[in-house]
């Protein structure tokens, strides 16, 4: 079923990303599962869709953000 593809995040501790804006417009929350997966969701819509990445993919994603590869032109 659908739940099979998602990690067990029932005990996950969601924390606001340091990249979230202070005005609360872009609030992203991140949680890590025991299986080493990283989940990302919109704090304004906690029950909404979430992005689930391996920890390696997450580290790569964060590194690219910090290096400015995703900056808007």
């Amino acid at each position: 079923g659908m739940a099979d593809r998602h990690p067990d995040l029932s005990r996950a501790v969601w924390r606001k990303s340091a990249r979230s804006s202070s005005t609360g417009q872009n609030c992203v929350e991140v949680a890590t599962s025991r299986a080493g997966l990283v989940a990302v969701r919109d704090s304004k819509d906690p029950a909404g869709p979430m992005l689930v990445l391996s920890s390696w993919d997450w580290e790569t994603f964060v590194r690219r953000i910090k290096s400015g590869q995703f900056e808007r032109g």
Side-chain angles (χ1 to χ4, degrees), residues 3 8 19 21 25 30-31 36 38 42 47-53 56 61-62 69:
D8 175 17
R19 311 279 305 172
S21 69
Q25 299 302 314
V30 179
V38 179
D42 180 349
M50 66 178 75
L51 179 65
V52 179
L53 302 166
W56 186 86
F61 178 65
V62 170
Q69 282 183 265

Side-chain angles (χ1 to χ4, degrees), residues 13-18 28-32 38 58:
V13 178
W14 291 90
R15 59 191 189 278
K16 277 216 168 77
S17 166
V28 173
E29 291 179 321
V30 179
T32 310
V38 179
W58 173 248

Side-chain angles (χ1 to χ4, degrees), residues 22-68:
S22 55
T23 57
Q25 299 302 314
N26 307 311
C27 284
V28 173
E29 291 179 321
V30 179
T32 310
S33 78
R34 287 196 311 228
L37 295 171
V38 179
V40 187
R41 73 182 182 188
D42 180 349
S43 63
K44 295 188 297 299
D45 187 15
M50 66 178 75
L51 179 65
V52 179
L53 302 166
S54 70
S55 52
W56 186 86
D57 286 336
W58 173 248
E59 293 298 331
T60 303
F61 178 65
V62 170
R63 234 183 354 261
R64 286 182 176 170
I65 291 174
K66 288 180 177 171
S67 71

